[in-house]
Amino acid sequence: MNMRKRLSGMWLMSMALLSYGAYTTFFVAQMSAPYIVYWTLPVFQSVALVIYLWGPEKIKFKPLRIMYHLCYMTSFLVLPAFIFIFMGLISQYHINIPESIDATRMSVEEILPGDGTTIYRTDKVYIFFPEYKTVDMECGNRPSQSDESITWCCGAAFQHAVELGFSQDNIEGDHASHGEFYDSPYDRDADGAFVFADGKFGFEFGDKEKAVKKAAEAGGSGFMQLAMINNKKAVMNFDRPRARCYRTLAELNGHLCVIDSVKMMHFGEFMEELKRIGVTNAVYMDMGAGWNYSWYRKATGKVRTLFGLPVPWSHNWVVFRK
């Protein structure tokens, strides 16, 4: 057997094992992924490996030879699929925050902002009160951790399509950034609006476009996201069978905060905890692989990264500035 055939065999055996590893990881972690990851890649790699071990040169039936070459070609999809699943897996595990205040035995009325960025932890959620004077929606270039005015950064609105280039039209929902209003072609009835202008934040679940335009006219920012809680009433019915990490931009005890689940949980469990602690208003914040990129600035000035896997096609963020 020549070197080329040996290398082909090693490649097919490695990709077959990796494809089964990717599928097992996907299945155990209960992740969402392109359908091809469910079972087709392991099947294709198994077919290619079996035919290779039997001897592709023995094949006389032309359709079978074509099938072998097609299965062999799919082996080059295994590594990207595995990386995608690996990124998705680690993106669902929230880091531990040792400086968080234990709020498991505190009354909900005591969960309030402090002098700087303040973080509380219950059994199920982290509650972040970033220090801020303004809250902006940044579009285009990802905010830099070297900008010491930023105390919190995370993804904001959904984007309609996966695109490396940035376009305001690709952001779902009408939005405003630094006083500029952008009319999106992708509005949803299920959205609520978050706005910040004149030093005040607000949530709007009725005339959302008007609220965002008003914020822009005042030189502020705003965006639309799926509505979760309106005046302490749950307005989002999100039946997701898989456990995930979740995040919301919310109003708690009259103050603006960001709430993350401590670990993977079902969405209904997350909503129950928001209800228990008395969240007044809330909009959903996407937490998929790469989209959950987020960080905050500690009192020491150092940045603590919560989820550090940004994707190059993510192009808008909500930023708290002191």
Side-chain angles (χ1 to χ4, degrees):
M1 183 180 292
N2 61 36
M3 183 59 68
R4 182 180 177 181
K5 289 185 177 180
R6 289 179 183 273
L7 291 175
S8 293
M10 293 171 63
W11 170 260
L12 286 175
M13 284 188 283
S14 299
M15 293 304 103
L17 290 172
L18 196 60
S19 66
Y20 278 100
Y23 173 76
T24 302
T25 302
F26 161 81
F27 183 79
V28 172
Q30 297 184 321
M31 296 168 57
S32 296
Y35 188 67
I36 194 172
V37 177
Y38 283 68
W39 58 271
T40 52
L41 279 181
V43 169
F44 291 159
Q45 301 318 298
S46 298
V47 170
L49 183 58
V50 168
I51 293 177
Y52 169 83
L53 293 173
W54 179 62
E57 68 280 356
K58 299 176 184 177
I59 300 174
K60 305 299 181 183
F61 189 48
K62 187 175 181 180
L64 190 58
R65 288 202 306 270
I66 294 174
M67 183 181 70
Y68 168 70
H69 290 299
L70 288 175
C71 289
Y72 192 106
M73 289 172 63
T74 63
S75 67
F76 295 98
L77 298 175
V78 173
L79 194 56
F82 180 83
I83 293 172
F84 179 88
I85 291 176
F86 179 75
M87 287 177 62
L89 177 66
I90 64 175
S91 73
Q92 294 308 313
Y93 291 90
H94 205 293
I95 69 164
N96 182 50
I97 305 176
E99 64 266 30
S100 59
I101 300 168
D102 185 359
T104 54
R105 293 179 177 82
M106 293 174 61
S107 65
V108 294
E109 293 80 9
E110 295 178 276
I111 303 177
L112 298 166
D115 294 333
T117 294
T118 309
I119 307 165
Y120 295 88
R121 174 175 176 160
T122 71
D123 287 335
K124 296 182 178 179
V125 297
Y126 283 112
I127 304 166
F128 301 87
F129 289 103
E131 180 185 3
Y132 72 93
K133 289 184 179 178
T134 63
V135 181
D136 299 315
M137 183 186 187
E138 298 291 350
C139 303
N141 296 321
R142 188 167 67 246
S144 172
Q145 295 185 0
S146 62
D147 184 346
E148 296 185 358
S149 69
I150 299 177
T151 58
W152 172 273
C153 175
C154 72
F158 284 128
Q159 290 174 193
H160 187 70
V162 174
E163 296 179 352
L164 292 178
F166 169 67
S167 169
Q168 295 287 359
D169 284 346
N170 194 36
I171 296 176
E172 294 192 355
D174 298 339
H175 53 283
S177 179
H178 299 283
E180 292 289 332
F181 175 79
Y182 301 95
D183 186 8
S184 171
Y186 309 109
D187 292 341
R188 294 182 299 263
D189 292 338
D191 279 349
F194 167 80
V195 296
F196 189 94
D198 295 326
K200 297 180 180 179
F201 72 89
F203 292 87
E204 177 59 47
F205 302 92
D207 196 341
K208 299 161 287 189
E209 180 182 1
K210 181 179 178 181
V212 177
K213 281 185 175 179
K214 186 177 179 181
E217 290 168 359
S221 296
F223 62 93
M224 296 182 185
Q225 256 291 4
L226 294 173
M228 290 177 65
I229 298 174
N230 177 9
N231 195 25
K232 294 194 175 183
K233 180 182 178 181
V235 293
M236 185 178 186
N237 183 17
F238 184 45
D239 184 17
R240 186 179 184 88
R242 293 181 174 90
R244 297 288 297 272
C245 272
Y246 294 100
R247 169 176 293 150
T248 180
L249 182 63
E251 178 184 355
L252 176 63
N253 293 329
H255 299 277
L256 183 63
C257 64
V258 179
I259 303 176
D260 286 7
S261 55
V262 169
K263 57 185 179 181
M264 289 196 295
M265 62 178 59
H266 289 277
F267 186 72
E269 188 179 4
F270 184 61
M271 287 291 285
E272 283 298 317
E273 182 67 0
L274 299 183
K275 180 180 178 181
R276 186 193 71 81
I277 63 178
V279 168
T280 307
N281 296 296
V283 293
Y284 183 77
M285 307 297 285
D286 194 14
M287 287 279 276
W291 303 102
N292 53 13
Y293 171 77
S294 51
W295 51 271
Y296 68 92
R297 194 171 304 278
K298 298 191 291 184
T300 59
K302 293 184 178 180
V303 167
R304 181 181 292 279
T305 300
L306 299 177
F307 295 94
L309 289 171
V311 290
W313 46 85
S314 177
H315 297 298
N316 75 93
W317 303 265
V318 59
V319 167
F320 289 64
R321 283 191 168 92
K322 61 183 179 180

